[in-house]
Amino acid sequence: MRLDRFLSENGCGTRSEIKKELKKGAASVDGVLVSDGSVQLPPGAEVLWHGERIDTDPFVYYMLHKPAGVITATRDPRAETVLDLLPGMRRKDLYPVGRLDRDTEGLLLITNDGPLGHRLLAPGRHVDKVYEARVRGRVTERECRLFAEGLQVDEELTAMPARLELLRTDAKGEDVYSGVRVTIREGKYHQIKRMFAAVGMEVVYLKRISMGPLVLDDRLAPGESRRLTEEEITALKEL
Ligand code: URA
């Protein structure tokens, strides 16, 4: 592929912008400055654009520790999105696999591998998703049983059996709070919040810990991301 086409496909600008930048020495191919956009890229070439490496892999996979306050969307003129958090990322074809609410934190997979994303989200696929939550109220065996039986959430949703585990309780003034771990196999809109609302409890904090074989890396602070390892990509593909 020609260098200028490669750069424009990877979001570096329009053809004419790229031409100008190339003249100024913005690109190097395998360590050599290249100002001619018609140069053909050798297979596996390392292209730097303003000093940043441009991915030549057809598919890329990132794990993001989504912070609260950021929306799960590709682009938004008014709000910060999860894609704005990937540093130096110019690719236009990336998208988040599944949604976390604006106030939910935790594991989010971001990729341009459409078929993999579809497989993970397919309604019949039932990939386990584990969340930690803090809820207002005292979680007892009753709630654990109701979740395990398949909770009738509202007229629209009867949840599949889910695992609810009590991790701790604490009190703040008059209120009791429970720290819990919940494992669900679906991903309906506001699912965890609606499930707790159905048993009379409010979720005040929610964080996704894992999705299938992918576990949030505890070295990632909220807002940080990293590429998936080969092992993680293979495990996702084997699902
Ligand atoms: N369930 C919710 O209620 N919100 C999320 O963000 C994810 C699961």
Side-chain angles (χ1 to χ4, degrees), residues 99-101 104 131 184 188 190-194 206:
R99 285 187 83 253
L100 292 178
D101 297 337
T104 302
Y131 291 82
I184 56 173
K188 299 277 162 49
H190 293 331
Q191 173 144 356
I192 303 256
K193 292 175 186 163
R194 285 162 71 195
L206 188 59

Side-chain angles (χ1 to χ4, degrees), residues 30-90:
D30 291 332
V32 179
L33 272 184
V34 178
S35 55
D36 176 3
S38 69
V39 159
Q40 290 289 331
L41 291 176
E46 184 181 74
V47 180
L48 299 191
W49 180 246
H50 290 289
E52 275 171 28
R53 182 173 177 270
I54 299 208
D55 261 311
T56 44
D57 297 342
F59 290 133
V60 289
Y61 307 85
Y62 291 88
M63 169 187 297
L64 170 71
H65 185 164
K66 179 193 173 297
V70 173
I71 62 169
T72 309
T74 48
R75 297 277 169 235
D76 190 286
R78 287 172 304 274
E80 191 176 25
T81 74
V82 290
L83 285 192
D84 295 329
L85 295 175
L86 294 193
M89 183 41 65
R90 300 171 190 281

Side-chain angles (χ1 to χ4, degrees), residues 8-24:
S8 74
E9 283 187 2
N10 286 288
C12 298
T14 61
R15 284 284 181 112
S16 63
E17 287 163 353
I18 287 168
K19 198 170 175 182
K20 270 193 219 145
E21 293 297 304
L22 283 173
K23 291 248 157 59
K24 293 191 221 155

Side-chain angles (χ1 to χ4, degrees), residues 73-127:
T74 48
R75 297 277 169 235
D76 190 286
R78 287 172 304 274
E80 191 176 25
T81 74
V82 290
L83 285 192
D84 295 329
L85 295 175
L86 294 193
M89 183 41 65
R90 300 171 190 281
R91 295 181 83 125
K92 295 234 166 64
D93 53 358
L94 289 171
Y95 73 97
V97 178
R99 285 187 83 253
L100 292 178
D101 297 337
R102 191 180 200 135
D103 58 355
T104 302
E105 295 182 4
L107 174 69
L108 195 65
L109 169 65
I110 296 179
T111 182
N112 60 342
D113 184 342
L116 180 88
H118 281 116
R119 279 206 306 282
L120 287 172
L121 297 179
R125 180 68 57 169
H126 305 322
V127 176

